[in-house]
Amino acid sequence: MDTTLCKILVVDDEMLVRQGIIHLLDWEGEGFQIAGEATNGREALELIELQRPHIVLTDIVMPVMDGEELIRLVKGMYPEIEVIVLSSFSEFEYVRSTFQSGVADYILKPKLEAASLLAVLKKTAQRIPLLQFDWRGDKAQSADYILDKLVSGFPVEYEAEALQAIFPFPGYVLLLADIGDDAAGGGRKEEWLESSFRSLLQNGDRVTCRRLSPLEGHIRLLFNLDADRREALLTLADQVFTAGIRANMFQNVAVSRTFTELNELHTVYTVDLMKLLDRRFFLPDRCLLVDSGEEERPGPVFDQEAFAAELNRQEFDLAFGRLSSYVSSMSGRRHTGMFEFKSFLCHSMFQIIGMLLHFHYEARALDDSKYEYFRIIHEARHIGETEARLEQFLQDATECVTKNRSGTPAMQKILLYIDEHYSGQLTLTEVAKQFHFNPSYLSNYFALHNKEGFNEYLNRVRIEKSCLLLKENPGLSISDISSLVGYSDHSYFTRVFRKLMGISPSQYRKG
């Protein structure tokens, strides 16, 4: 007798709950099939129209459209579909109200276990006249069940012979198509993708194709092939996805290395292919990404010490050029992660702003807009967008430098000298001698071209350095730190520190 699997749609806004249900049972072995998953009622209605499930298993409290409204609409539009409610104890009053809309049953989330869920589902399925299935539940594990467990990283015991007829060849390649947020159109795209490959594969190609369950906007196809058929498969993939991407069906496609054990499936998917998709940020013009299985040689490393030294010497043209050249060189390189790169870039911009402010350049506007720069960089979809934003930032920073330098080039040299020699017994007379000034003239010159007088500026530099030492060197005593930043009198250091910071050095260290 022909059997019809009972199709189930799982609706819950918590991914862990959905995945817990999906991986709780050997669904096909029990006579069921997961037709899809949705995060709210609106998504569920779109999938119901496409998949026409027999049973909807839904949460009550969800964003966008909650379970109560979903149930009312489903029973009004599709009265033949049965609905089972998932709820917690605190939602029981909501659950009771849903029975007026024709809910078949409910199950409490704290009691969500395989046996109880299966009992409720089988009881509900027996109410559906069109279903014909032997509900004894003594079926062997299906291949889809085993593969779904393997790719998701859930432990599963199975006989290798059970899959031998499906996978007769020694090698495997996992292919991942990114469809973005188009969950409702995923089923149509899956079918198109699988049928396209099957139509191109010939019996003599020694390559088979099997669709895995979709997850998080990804379509996954598993290919079983002879070792020498990888290049032929890549040629087919290029043909299929060129057509699919032109039709706006996919955003990117990633093809894994060849592996020989199905137990590697989870690692290949979650580590290799997801890392490969992460690298597309640096490859904006590449839609088909292929993992060769070989370690890629890292490109040149950014010289952070040289960059910091150039900023400290106010050699801004060199520092800005160094950063710009490095970012430009990143296009096409895949050894760096996207988030690592974006964090590096924001940190470098933060360094630049900090040094401009330290040397009294008019950079307040740049400082005020830094978080907008950071936001745009973190939202950038590819390397080109970050390059454009960095160049705008460097132009703004260059204008800050140009405005200040046009009037006081000597002042910048004096500030740099103080910054490099603050730890010694530095005096106005010594600095005046270094720059061939009369001490009285230097005092007036300093006050004219700087917001602070000589002593005020020197104290601020020393206290800023002492703050770093207090936080980063807990083993140093406060007396030692006062000496390291140029104060011979510990009590005087404490008074100056309290005046500028509002608290004592010991309180600052504890905070």
Side-chain angles (χ1 to χ4, degrees):
M1 179 175 65
D2 292 335
T3 61
T4 302
L5 296 178
C6 179
K7 296 167 66 177
I8 299 173
L9 176 66
V10 181
V11 189
D12 197 294
D13 60 329
E14 295 184 41
M15 185 184 72
L16 291 178
V17 173
R18 299 196 308 273
Q19 291 302 300
I21 292 172
I22 289 170
H23 297 291
L24 193 60
L25 292 162
D26 173 10
W27 292 101
E28 292 193 9
E30 299 292 350
F32 298 92
Q33 178 186 16
I34 300 295
E37 56 179 301
T39 62
N40 57 64
R42 183 181 297 172
E43 284 185 14
L45 284 177
E46 295 175 352
L47 288 172
I48 288 170
E49 175 64 27
L50 289 170
Q51 301 293 340
R52 294 301 172 95
H54 299 99
I55 297 175
V56 173
L57 189 62
T58 182
D59 189 17
I60 290 292
V61 180
M62 297 181 292
V64 185
M65 180 189 291
D66 64 17
E68 282 191 284
E69 185 177 357
L70 171 64
I71 293 164
R72 181 175 55 78
L73 292 173
V74 168
K75 298 308 291 185
M77 298 165 63
Y78 311 97
E80 73 281 4
I81 295 179
E82 298 289 349
V83 180
I84 297 172
V85 170
L86 289 168
S87 74
S88 62
F89 291 109
S90 62
E91 298 164 0
F92 187 72
E93 289 304 319
Y94 292 107
V95 175
R96 187 175 354 204
S97 68
T98 63
F99 277 92
Q100 298 174 4
S101 301
V103 166
D105 211 332
Y106 77 94
I107 186 167
L108 293 171
K109 286 184 182 180
K111 300 290 185 183
L112 190 59
E113 53 188 29
S116 57
L117 176 61
L118 188 59
V120 171
L121 287 171
K122 285 188 175 182
K123 176 184 173 183
T124 304
Q126 288 170 0
R127 299 171 47 173
I128 303 173
L130 295 177
L131 294 178
Q132 296 178 339
F133 197 87
D134 183 355
W135 298 104
R136 293 173 298 177
D138 55 355
K139 308 292 183 297
Q141 289 178 333
S142 69
D144 286 337
Y145 170 77
I146 295 170
L147 292 171
D148 206 32
K149 290 285 187 181
L150 289 172
V151 76
S152 302
F154 285 80
V156 59
E157 295 182 2
Y158 66 97
E159 298 292 334
E161 292 76 13
L163 300 179
Q164 193 166 6
I166 302 172
F167 301 126
F169 307 115
Y172 301 92
V173 169
L174 184 60
L175 187 146
L176 188 67
D178 183 0
I179 61 172
D181 298 326
D182 186 13
R188 175 177 56 84
K189 294 176 180 180
E190 277 188 288
E191 292 174 4
W192 180 89
L193 188 57
E194 187 177 23
S195 63
S196 296
F197 272 104
R198 291 192 185 280
S199 66
L200 292 172
L201 291 171
Q202 306 298 321
N203 290 333
D205 282 342
R206 305 192 307 284
V207 179
T208 66
C209 172
R210 191 173 189 91
R211 189 198 316 177
L212 303 182
S213 60
L215 181 65
E216 297 176 353
H218 296 149
I219 296 173
R220 303 178 291 188
L221 294 183
L222 179 63
F223 293 88
N224 178 229
L225 69 169
D226 266 343
D228 61 348
R229 303 306 297 161
R230 178 178 172 82
E231 289 303 318
L233 174 62
L234 292 178
T235 300
L236 292 181
D238 188 48
Q239 294 175 15
V240 171
F241 286 106
T242 296
I245 290 171
R246 284 177 180 170
N248 293 320
M249 299 185 74
F250 313 108
Q251 296 181 1
N252 295 90
V253 178
V255 182
S256 79
R257 59 182 170 85
T258 302
F259 55 103
T260 57
E261 298 292 336
L262 279 174
N263 288 331
E264 296 181 70
L265 199 52
H266 178 66
T267 299
V268 169
Y269 170 58
T270 59
V271 178
D272 299 353
L273 285 186
M274 297 309 292
K275 184 184 292 184
L276 194 60
L277 283 178
D278 182 37
R279 299 300 190 267
R280 66 190 161 180
F281 176 83
F282 301 101
L283 305 163
D285 300 324
R286 187 99 50 92
C287 294
L288 181 61
L289 307 172
V290 179
D291 183 1
S292 64
E294 299 178 358
E295 282 291 328
E296 182 176 317
R297 290 183 180 180
V301 177
F302 185 71
D303 193 335
Q304 187 64 53
E305 288 188 9
F307 177 69
E310 286 163 352
L311 290 178
N312 197 48
R313 293 194 299 267
Q314 300 185 66
E315 296 172 344
F316 294 113
D317 292 345
L318 293 178
F320 295 174
R322 180 184 299 277
L323 182 60
S324 180
S325 297
Y326 177 76
V327 172
S328 297
S329 74
M330 291 298 292
S331 183
R333 288 162 53 185
R334 296 181 295 176
H335 69 282
T336 303
M338 175 182 66
F339 294 107
E340 177 188 350
F341 171 74
K342 288 181 176 181
S343 296
F344 152 79
L345 193 53
C346 290
H347 177 71
S348 299
M349 294 164 71
F350 190 83
Q351 276 184 281
I352 289 172
I353 294 172
M355 293 305 289
L356 290 174
L357 293 173
H358 175 75
F359 288 115
H360 290 269
Y361 289 93
E362 291 296 333
R364 289 297 171 190
L366 198 62
D367 186 45
D368 292 341
S369 62
K370 63 177 179 290
Y371 292 112
E372 179 64 13
Y373 276 111
F374 297 165
R375 181 190 65 78
I376 293 172
I377 285 174
H378 279 295
E379 291 178 359
R381 294 165 298 177
H382 56 77
I383 183 71
E385 291 183 7
T386 59
E387 281 190 84
R389 185 53 53 184
L390 174 65
E391 289 307 314
Q392 180 60 56
F393 171 83
L394 293 179
Q395 282 183 23
D396 293 344
T398 300
E399 287 182 13
C400 295
V401 173
T402 303
K403 287 178 182 177
N404 277 52
R405 277 185 173 168
S406 59
T408 58
M411 191 70 232
Q412 301 306 321
K413 293 181 181 180
I414 294 170
L415 295 179
L416 180 59
Y417 182 83
I418 294 172
D419 195 60
E420 291 176 345
H421 297 84
Y422 69 91
S423 60
Q425 297 303 308
L426 204 60
T427 64
L428 178 67
T429 301
E430 181 183 336
V431 175
K433 182 179 179 182
Q434 178 70 28
F435 288 92
H436 310 290
F437 285 154
N438 177 280
S440 178
Y441 176 80
L442 176 59
S443 178
N444 292 331
Y445 182 86
F446 204 99
L448 179 64
H449 295 287
N450 202 57
K451 295 178 181 179
E452 300 165 299
F454 175 83
N455 287 328
E456 288 81 5
Y457 181 80
L458 177 59
N459 280 329
R460 184 170 62 79
V461 170
R462 285 173 167 172
I463 296 305
E464 285 178 357
K465 302 297 183 181
S466 71
C467 286
L468 294 176
L469 292 172
L470 285 166
K471 290 293 187 182
E472 296 175 0
N473 298 275
L476 286 175
S477 69
I478 293 175
S479 178
D480 289 339
I481 290 174
S482 68
S483 298
L484 288 172
V485 297
Y487 291 101
S488 57
D489 186 340
H490 168 63
S491 60
Y492 178 65
F493 163 70
T494 302
R495 289 199 303 273
V496 174
F497 192 99
R498 186 184 293 275
K499 179 181 178 181
L500 292 180
M501 303 302 296
I503 56 176
S504 68
S506 58
Q507 289 173 319
Y508 181 86
R509 171 173 272 173
K510 290 176 182 178

